Amino acid sequence: MPKRRAKNLKNLKRLKNRCILLGVSGGVAAYKSVELARRLTDEEASVFVVMTEAAKQFATPLSFETASHNRVYSSLFDEPMAHISLPAKADCMVVAPATANTIAKFAHGLADDLLSTCFLSFRGNVIVAPSMNWKMYDNPVVRRNLDALASAGVAQVGPGSGALACGEEGVGRMAEPAEIVEAVRAALSEKNLSGERVVITAGPTREYLDPVRFISNRSSGKMGYALARTARDRGAEVTLISGPSFLGKPAGVAYIGVETTSEMLGAVTEAVAKGATVLVMAAAVADFSPVRESRLKIEKGRGLTLKLSPTKDIVTSVSSSRKRPFIIGFAAETGSRADRAAKKMKEKKMDMIVFNDVTEPGAGFDVDTNKVEIIDRRGRIHTGLMSKDDVADAIFDRFLEIKA
Ligand code: C5P
C-alpha cells in the first residue's frame, strides 16, 4: 500500500445543493413537516415550500420560512409562473402531509391551486406521505387514487399506525420526518450499485454462558444498517445479517436475524454462496466464546472463572474461499491505530478496511455520526466527522473507484 498522506473527504452529503420542493397540504401533521424542512436544510438541500390554503390553518408560513430559509409559496397568482419555475428547479418533490383531497386532486389531474399545478408540471421523482383518519385511508376510493399515483410513478412513504389526531387508533399517521428524508435520499440516489449483490453484517453477536447470560459488546448496528439502506438506495440487492439490535428492519432488503457468532458465520456463508459480489463485515463479532455453555442457569456462588476460546473468524473463512466477493471489513480501535487496521486488512485478506477510533467524540457507539479512515491497496481516505449515512456513501464511492 502506498505510504501517501490520507486524502481528506469533506462535505460528502447526498442532499447537498439538491433542490427539494416540499408540498404541505392541510392535515394536522403539517407541523411535523416543519421539522422535515429543517432536516432537509440541515443536509444542505435547498428547500422551497408550497402550502395549500388549508395547510395554513395547521402551521404558519413563517415556521416554514424559518425552517427552509426561503420564502413560502401558496397562491397561484402571487407569482404567476411559480407553478412552472419552482418545479423546473427542483430535483425532487415531496408532499407531506398528503391529505385525501390532495391525493385525489393529483390522481385526477385537477389543477386549481399552486400545489396541484406544480405536481402536474414537475418532471422528477415525487413522494407522497399520506396522512388521514384510518377509515379514510381504508376507503377504496382513496386506495384507488393512491394506486393511480403509484402507476404514474409516484412513491409513497407511510402512513404508519398508531394514535391519530381524532383520538382513534389505526393506519393513517404521517411517516416520521426521518423516514421521509430517507425516502428523499433514495429518490435522489444514482443507481450506481445496480447489479451488485451486497451482503452486510451489522450489530453485535452474543455468546451464551448459560440460558440467561451472555457476553456481547456495545455495537448498536447503526453503521451496518446505514450501509444496508445506502446500498439499497444505490440499486444493489442487499442482504442484511444482523445481530440483536433495537433498530427497525430497513424496507427493501433481505433481513436475516442472528444471535451468536456461529449463526452469523452460517448465514454469511450461505448468503455468499448464493453469489454475493460484495461482503461488508460491519458487525462487531464477539471475539471470545465460553468454552462450555451450561444447559442450566449457573448458580450464584462466590465467584466464577470463565474459560473463553476465540470465535471462528468470519472474514477469514470467506476470504480464503475460492469464489470470494470483494470484502470490506471494519476495525474499531481505541486510539489512532490505522496502521494496525491496515495490517489486519492484509492478514485477513480483505480488499478494504474501515478504521475508526471509538474514543473520538462522535465516532463511538450508538451515535448517528462517525469519523473513519478508509484503507485499501491504493491509499487512505479520511472522511472527517459525518453522518453514518454519508460514511456509507463514502465507502461505496471508494468501492466503485477501486472496482473501475
Ligand atoms: O480483529 P478484529 O475483530 O478487529 O477484526 C474486525 C473485522 O473482522 C470486522 O470486519 C469484523 O466484522 C470481522 N470479524 C469476523 N469474525 C470474527 C471477528 C471479527 O469476521 N470472529
Side-chain angles (χ1 to χ4, degrees):
M1 189 179 49
K3 278 261 180 234
R4 65 186 159 95
R5 251 166 62 89
K7 271 200 296 185
N8 278 313
L9 204 70
K10 285 212 182 87
N11 278 329
L12 179 136
K13 286 194 167 179
R14 211 188 299 171
L15 298 186
K16 188 180 160 103
N17 297 334
R18 308 305 291 272
C19 180
I20 318 286
L21 187 56
L22 172 59
V24 183
S25 58
V28 72
Y31 75 93
K32 281 208 233 169
S33 278
V34 177
E35 191 196 331
L36 172 61
R38 189 190 50 75
R39 280 178 181 254
L40 292 168
T41 45
D42 282 354
E43 298 263 343
E44 296 179 49
S46 46
V47 179
F48 291 92
V49 177
V50 173
M51 298 179 82
T52 63
E53 279 309 313
K56 292 195 263 178
Q57 301 291 326
F58 293 97
T60 68
L62 187 61
S63 310
F64 282 103
E65 222 162 277
T66 314
S68 70
H69 311 306
N70 279 314
R71 66 159 282 206
V72 169
Y73 297 78
S74 188
S75 162
L76 251 180
F77 307 107
D78 279 352
E79 218 177 275
M81 282 304 141
H83 65 296
I84 308 296
S85 59
L86 284 174
K89 64 180 169 191
D91 296 299
C92 180
M93 181 172 179
V94 193
V95 184
T99 58
N101 181 49
T102 292
I103 290 165
K105 279 171 38 173
F106 286 3
H108 294 276
L110 261 65
D112 64 349
D113 63 4
L114 184 59
L115 183 58
S116 52
T117 46
C118 280
F119 171 73
L120 290 180
S121 82
F122 182 58
R123 282 290 160 271
N125 289 314
V126 181
I127 301 163
V128 289
S131 169
M132 63 198 78
N133 171 274
W134 70 270
K135 288 178 202 135
M136 293 170 75
Y137 185 67
D138 200 37
N139 192 305
V141 174
V142 173
R143 290 306 172 93
R144 266 203 304 278
N145 288 339
L146 281 166
D147 287 347
L149 290 183
S151 44
V154 172
Q156 182 180 329
V157 54
S161 85
L164 303 171
C166 50
E168 295 179 12
E169 293 244 343
V171 179
R173 276 172 72 91
M174 187 176 88
E176 291 304 317
E179 206 184 325
I180 302 174
V181 171
E182 215 189 283
V184 175
R185 289 176 71 93
L188 291 176
S189 300
E190 210 186 310
K191 307 295 176 214
N192 49 16
L193 290 177
S194 67
E196 299 293 348
R197 303 180 75 182
V198 184
V199 174
I200 296 165
T201 65
T205 59
R206 290 176 176 170
E207 301 304 322
Y208 280 87
L209 276 63
D210 66 20
V212 294
R213 304 184 182 95
F214 56 77
I215 301 173
S216 193
N217 58 67
R218 290 178 58 194
S219 170
S220 62
K222 283 187 173 178
M223 191 61 240
Y225 280 56
L227 283 153
R229 288 193 302 269
T230 300
R232 172 204 64 195
D233 292 353
R234 293 173 67 157
E237 190 187 311
V238 180
T239 302
L240 174 63
I241 299 170
S242 175
S245 168
F246 65 90
L247 301 170
K249 295 177 193 167
V253 311
Y255 179 92
I256 302 168
V258 295
E259 229 181 324
T260 64
T261 303
S262 87
E263 282 170 17
M264 186 171 276
L265 173 66
V268 169
T269 310
E270 202 178 314
V272 168
K274 284 187 186 154
T277 57
V278 186
L279 169 66
V280 191
M281 283 294 303
V285 183
D287 292 311
F288 305 102
S289 172
V291 171
R292 232 176 52 82
E293 181 186 336
S294 170
R295 217 168 31 83
L296 300 173
K297 185 179 170 191
I298 300 168
E299 289 292 330
K300 249 198 305 196
R302 259 166 287 151
L304 177 68
T305 305
L306 281 181
K307 197 157 182 238
L308 304 172
S309 61
T311 53
K312 190 155 183 218
D313 199 277
I314 302 173
V315 167
T316 312
S317 123
V318 176
S319 67
S320 27
S321 66
R322 249 186 336 119
K323 224 178 128 243
R324 51 167 282 173
F326 187 97
I327 300 174
I328 304 173
F330 274 72
E333 306 279 356
T334 43
S336 45
R337 313 186 76 160
D339 288 331
R340 200 169 124 152
K343 194 162 155 259
K344 201 171 279 180
M345 177 180 83
K346 273 200 187 135
E347 280 166 5
K348 296 196 182 193
K349 292 190 252 141
M350 304 177 191
D351 301 286
M352 187 188 284
I353 196 157
V354 181
F355 157 73
N356 71 318
D357 174 359
V358 293
T359 62
E360 285 249 359
F365 297 101
D366 219 10
V367 289
D368 292 318
T369 51
N370 208 350
K371 184 179 175 186
V372 308
E373 196 168 323
I374 302 170
I375 305 171
D376 53 53
R377 64 186 140 82
R378 289 218 225 140
R380 297 180 179 191
I381 296 173
H382 278 299
T383 60
L385 187 67
M386 51 175 69
S387 74
K388 285 186 172 162
D389 287 325
D390 290 331
V391 170
D393 265 331
I395 292 168
F396 287 120
D397 283 352
R398 183 61 173 169
F399 159 72
L400 288 172
E401 252 174 58
I402 298 279
K403 215 189 119 187

